[in-house]
Amino acid sequence: MAISASAVSSAADHAVRESAPWIEKLARLGFAAKALLYMTIGALAAAAALGKGGKTGTDTRGAMQTLLEQPFGRALVGVIAVGLFGYGVYRLIDGLKDAEHRGKGAKAIALRIAAISSGLIYLGLTYTAVQLAMGHYVQGGSDQKTQHWTARALATPGGQYALYGVAAAFVGYGIYQLYRAWKAKLGKQLSLGRMSWRSERVVIAISRFGIAARGVVFSMIGVLLFRAAHHRNPGEAGGIGKSMRELVEFGRWPFTAIAVGLIAYGIYQLINAKYRRLNAAG
């Protein structure tokens, strides 16, 4: 018996609605996992900038490795894996079903595509976290992977122009994050009604600072990718780690501000873990 596409879609929608409470709980754990990773990246970078040890070019895999070396590290990274999985699934559902009700304009479509891309990225990070938690060696961080795919793109006809497009997307995303930090009404995504007016203003200020710092980091990823495409040199591309190392050239105090901003972004993710309005059921 043939099964219609509408029947499959209806069954999928029913499965999502049934599992929505668990997906939302795991997504909140995912926000907390993101918080821990970004706070680790920011803390290591700030310590390096201030001459207190640390490391300027840590990415999410490097943050996981650092956490793995702490007491109960494997269990901690295992919990992070579960959270990242939940967050990735929620972002996929959000992008496919418009769970956050963005509408149908060009901006809404772009945000839904970004949500799907984010979901896939975090599911990939889930695999990395699982491998590390199980004690397996994971080869290559974000820089090596970015350079690998850049090299493959450059070896493909038209790949250089495709890389220009991806670079523009990263820069555009970074600029959009700067716009969000300055203009967006962040309180619309958060249920902060139980906070005092003063506490809410502090929370929003920290969130804006963190979002802006991450926007700078992602814009630099786009700049690096553009350079790699322009010079046809994959070694010039990189992820968060190389972006942070490049931002050191801004000077000690601007770099320290960006590093502290990533800690603030981690705090923003903790705020999301508790107060974000989630609706996996659509």
Side-chain angles (χ1 to χ4, degrees), residues 162-176:
L163 287 174
Y164 283 140
V166 176
F170 268 104
V171 172
Y173 177 76
I175 292 172
Y176 174 70

Side-chain angles (χ1 to χ4, degrees), residues 3-268:
I3 301 176
S4 68
S6 60
V8 173
S9 177
S10 177
D13 287 343
H14 177 73
V16 169
R17 285 194 298 271
E18 288 292 311
S19 58
W22 283 104
I23 292 172
E24 289 168 11
K25 288 177 181 177
L26 288 176
R28 294 192 186 282
L29 181 60
F31 280 117
K34 284 183 66 181
L36 192 53
L37 294 177
Y38 272 98
M39 291 172 79
T40 300
I41 293 170
L44 289 172
L50 297 173
K52 304 293 184 182
K55 188 177 181 182
T56 56
T58 304
D59 57 10
T60 47
R61 177 190 171 280
M64 289 182 200
Q65 187 66 52
T66 298
L67 294 170
L68 191 67
E69 294 165 1
Q70 308 309 308
F72 306 103
R74 281 197 185 185
L76 179 59
V77 174
V79 171
I80 288 173
V82 174
L84 293 179
F85 174 78
Y87 181 80
V89 170
Y90 177 77
R91 292 291 281 167
L92 285 176
I93 291 171
D94 177 26
L96 294 171
K97 293 174 59 65
D98 194 18
E100 298 195 356
H101 305 293
R102 298 181 180 89
K104 295 184 178 181
K107 177 182 174 182
I109 292 171
L111 290 174
R112 290 179 66 179
I113 292 172
I116 293 170
S117 300
S118 174
L120 294 173
I121 288 169
Y122 278 97
L123 289 178
L125 283 175
T126 299
Y127 177 76
T128 299
V130 169
Q131 292 292 95
L132 288 171
M134 293 176 65
H136 298 160
Y137 174 72
V138 178
Q139 185 175 9
S142 61
D143 291 344
Q144 289 81 4
K145 290 177 181 177
T146 303
Q147 290 165 8
H148 168 76
W149 288 109
T150 300
R152 293 192 64 172
L154 288 172
T156 304
Q160 182 180 23
Y161 297 101
L163 287 174
Y164 283 140
V166 176
F170 268 104
V171 172
Y173 177 76
I175 292 172
Y176 174 70
Q177 292 302 296
L178 292 171
Y179 167 80
R180 281 188 69 216
W182 182 253
K183 284 284 189 181
K185 296 179 180 178
L186 299 179
K188 294 177 69 175
Q189 293 182 319
L190 304 170
S191 299
L192 301 176
R194 289 171 287 175
M195 286 189 177
S196 68
W197 176 79
R198 182 170 295 177
S199 296
E200 183 175 338
R201 288 198 64 175
V202 170
V203 163
I204 295 298
I206 292 172
S207 300
R208 290 188 189 282
F209 180 38
I211 292 169
R214 186 169 178 265
V216 172
V217 172
F218 272 75
S219 292
M220 181 54 70
I221 292 174
V223 171
L224 292 171
L225 191 56
F226 179 88
R227 288 181 192 169
H230 184 66
H231 297 145
R232 300 190 66 86
N233 179 9
E236 294 189 45
I240 291 176
K242 188 160 186 174
S243 174
M244 292 294 286
R245 290 192 296 274
E246 191 75 15
L247 290 169
V248 172
E249 301 301 319
F250 281 36
R252 179 182 182 185
W253 295 114
F255 180 75
T256 301
I258 293 169
V260 173
L262 292 183
I263 297 173
Y265 184 77
I267 295 171
Y268 170 57

